[in-house]
Amino acid sequence: MTQYDYSLFVIGAGSGGVRAARVSAGMGAKVAIAEESRYGGTCVIRGCVPKKLMVYASQFADAFEDAQGYGWTLPEPSFDWGALKTARDAEIDRLEGIYGRLLDASGVTRFDQHARIVDAHTVALRDGTQITAETILIATGGRPTLPPFEGIEHAITSDDIFHLETQPRSIVCIGGGYISLEFACIFHGLGTKVTVSNRSPVLRGFDADVQRHLMTELTAKGLDFRIGVNVSSITEKDGLKHIIYEDGSTVSAEAILVATGRSPHVNGLGLEEAGIETGKGGAIPVDAYSRTAIPSIYAIGDVTDRVQLTPVAIREGMAFAETVYNDNPTSPDHDLIATAIFTQPEIGTIGMTEAEARDRHDVDIYRSTFRPMLATLAGREEKTLMKIIVDKASDKVLGLHIVGHHSGEMIQCAAIAIKMGATKADFDRTMAVHPTSAEELVTMREPVDHA
Ligand code: NDP
């Protein structure tokens, strides 16, 4: 039998790669991992975690305003970008350290450098060392996609936001998806003048009521929108960046964020030489067990472009370990994934949109729009939206969509019930928790539309 240096070599120490490495090691595999940048990957270093810290920072703007309606008198608040950056960077350093220590404690050997696949069982490190492994796992994640606009070099990506030393006074966020809208809300909360620019209506693919509701709320908050416009070029003059659209109109700001999707990070991996063909945008095609066309090479997470979400990459990593090291072939379940968009107000969603459901089922729609209690004394006009889509024949809940405070937290709990196949009758017989916003989920009695 061939002797390999390791049973598993993982390329990429993001959420998926680290979990796969640790769990595999725990199952007895001799594991090594290579990381060319920082431990923790996109989620911990330049994504979910630092972003959520900035969401928290930006929410204080509303909280200070609301506090006055509740009897507080506050001095004029001011925000210090540098102080937030220092605190946030220290927290990310702390988390990165934990990631590294967890790997060490699991007995995983770390190589802090780029790795490239040489053949089905060999990787080469940047320093020239070649290492053999029975199995190779690619978990290199994704990178922001840069659209081919003339002058794109004048724009920044979400990666760059975490390195900005000063807060831009104005920003245009190009894109109408997760990243553009989350940062648009963050910057607005922190006092930056924000314009969102997209070629089509925002949140394409989301429920139409969610799109409408978010647009109404964000417009009321004072965000500016340029929708249905195509960027022609970007220039820089007099300390400002200028977007020129195809229709000749322009918009200017101190910074331009481009958030038009993320692509698999496969550059320099040696895939072609190893005999792995990539698909759309560079995605590595895999089977239901995350195995590539080469039986000893697997891939998980954003590099496979199945569902670009951290918890999905983690699940894929665990399913990989279960399959390869625990003699228990496990296929990650990509059905009914709940997700939250940390806009302000937040979005929580799972399952079908109304349009998708109507295509396949005869449905009842339950919808409630109400002013959350917090907004009353605060004197805020904002509304929360909750929408349940139910299959008339089986009474099963096909989709649930929430826009409002804490909808990420709510959708996580509701997702358990929906994943278990909950019916509307199950929702109805569940006692309300009062007074909460979430109680509305179990008190909607009449469908709004019998069409
Ligand atoms: P999204 O796919 O969410 O949105 C991309 C946006 O950019 C769309 O509005 C799209 O418009 C527009 N766009 C795409 N290509 C072009 C182009 N060539 N020119 C102009 N506009 C373009 O991507 P994001 O970058 O926002 O996020 C990437 C992924 O990261 C998400 O899909 C999500 O899975 C993940 N993510 C998840 C988060 C969370 O869970 N909270 C947070 C952040 C990221 P159109 O609709 O017309 O195609």
Side-chain angles (χ1 to χ4, degrees):
M1 199 181 129
T2 320
Q3 277 299 309
Y4 297 106
D5 298 324
Y6 293 93
S7 33
L8 173 65
F9 194 98
V10 181
I11 307 179
S15 303
V18 167
R19 183 61 66 93
R22 287 176 48 210
V23 176
S24 302
M27 290 170 173
K30 186 181 176 199
V31 183
I33 195 164
E35 173 55 57
E36 64 181 347
S37 175
R38 296 181 63 186
Y39 286 79
T42 299
C43 174
V44 176
I45 306 297
R46 59 193 84 83
C48 324
V49 176
K51 178 274 307 284
K52 187 84 187 274
L53 294 172
M54 293 183 77
V55 170
Y56 285 132
S58 63
Q59 284 172 337
F60 284 102
D62 281 353
F64 290 138
E65 267 182 37
D66 292 353
Q68 295 169 45
Y70 284 85
W72 289 88
T73 305
L74 299 169
E76 185 64 30
S78 65
F79 170 69
D80 182 340
W81 175 272
L84 173 65
K85 183 177 187 303
T86 303
R88 186 195 64 214
D89 290 354
E91 174 60 7
I92 299 312
D93 289 349
R94 187 183 74 84
L95 292 174
E96 186 187 12
I98 290 175
Y99 264 66
R101 285 195 295 281
L102 284 172
L103 285 166
D104 296 342
S106 309
V108 176
T109 305
R110 298 199 265 150
F111 295 99
D112 294 352
Q113 48 181 314
H114 179 84
R116 171 176 62 82
I117 297 171
V118 176
D119 62 35
H121 294 285
T122 313
V123 296
L125 300 179
R126 174 147 287 149
D127 67 8
T129 315
Q130 295 217 345
I131 295 171
T132 60
E134 188 173 10
T135 303
I136 296 169
L137 177 67
I138 305 168
T140 47
R143 288 276 165 97
T145 312
L146 291 180
F149 305 148
E150 190 191 323
I152 189 72
E153 67 277 9
H154 299 303
I156 56 172
T157 68
S158 55
D159 291 358
D160 304 314
I161 283 179
F162 303 110
H163 300 293
L164 289 179
E165 293 296 339
T166 53
Q167 177 182 0
R169 277 171 293 189
S170 52
I171 191 165
V172 181
C173 301
I174 301 178
Y178 283 76
I179 295 178
S180 173
L181 293 174
E182 288 183 341
F183 276 110
C185 293
I186 288 170
F187 278 109
H188 176 77
L190 297 179
T192 295
K193 182 182 178 309
V194 175
T195 305
V196 176
S197 159
N198 200 40
R199 63 184 182 185
S200 49
V202 300
L203 293 180
R204 191 160 60 83
F206 282 73
D207 188 89
D209 277 323
V210 170
Q211 295 170 330
R212 267 193 297 271
H213 193 90
L214 188 77
M215 278 299 283
T216 306
E217 291 293 324
L218 296 189
T219 307
K221 279 187 143 193
L223 278 81
D224 192 21
F225 284 89
R226 302 274 178 118
I227 299 299
V229 285
N230 289 305
V231 176
S232 167
S233 62
I234 303 174
T235 57
E236 180 169 16
K237 201 173 164 222
D238 302 330
L240 285 179
K241 316 278 193 285
H242 309 277
I243 299 179
I244 298 136
Y245 293 105
E246 282 176 1
D247 65 6
S249 63
T250 60
V251 62
S252 305
E254 282 189 1
I256 292 169
L257 168 70
V258 63
T260 53
R262 294 176 56 85
S263 322
H265 178 34
V266 289
N267 290 355
L269 261 184
L271 293 179
E272 249 176 56
E273 297 86 320
I276 297 176
E277 282 179 26
T278 52
K280 193 167 163 267
I284 300 179
V286 289
D287 68 11
Y289 300 97
S290 302
R291 190 189 284 241
T292 70
I294 296 180
S296 60
I297 303 182
Y298 290 72
I300 55 164
D302 286 2
V303 77
T304 65
D305 202 12
R306 284 175 281 186
V307 184
Q308 295 183 350
L309 294 170
T310 297
V312 174
I314 290 173
R315 268 306 159 86
E316 289 169 359
M318 285 161 66
F320 157 81
E322 200 59 32
T323 301
V324 179
Y325 297 108
N326 206 27
D327 199 21
N328 176 25
T330 303
S331 167
D333 177 3
H334 293 112
D335 191 32
L336 281 174
I337 297 170
T339 143
I341 307 187
F342 296 98
T343 42
Q344 298 169 46
E346 213 166 285
I347 300 172
T349 174
I350 183 168
M352 293 184 201
T353 64
E354 180 176 340
E356 285 166 349
R358 284 196 188 284
D359 263 359
R360 285 175 254 173
H361 303 265
D362 193 8
V363 294
D364 272 333
I365 305 297
Y366 295 81
R367 184 173 46 223
S368 174
T369 311
F370 58 94
R371 197 175 179 205
M373 195 192 271
L374 175 70
T376 53
L377 294 198
R380 216 171 258 291
E381 282 311 316
E382 74 172 49
K383 293 271 191 342
T384 291
L385 166 77
M386 294 191 179
K387 179 170 179 180
I388 308 178
I389 296 156
V390 179
D391 176 31
K392 266 189 189 170
S394 64
D395 197 41
K396 238 177 154 171
V397 175
L398 301 174
L400 173 57
H401 309 278
I402 311 172
V403 187
H405 293 287
H406 311 300
S407 37
E409 307 289 344
M410 283 188 252
I411 207 73
Q412 177 67 88
C413 300
I416 302 170
I418 292 172
K419 191 82 181 156
M420 289 171 75
T423 60
K424 180 65 170 57
D426 291 325
F427 274 56
D428 293 345
R429 68 193 173 84
T430 302
M431 200 69 82
V433 177
H434 184 71
T436 63
S437 287
E439 69 182 299
E440 201 69 17
L441 293 174
V442 297
T443 53
M444 281 187 244
R445 289 287 177 258
E446 293 298 321
V448 290
D449 187 347
H450 287 275

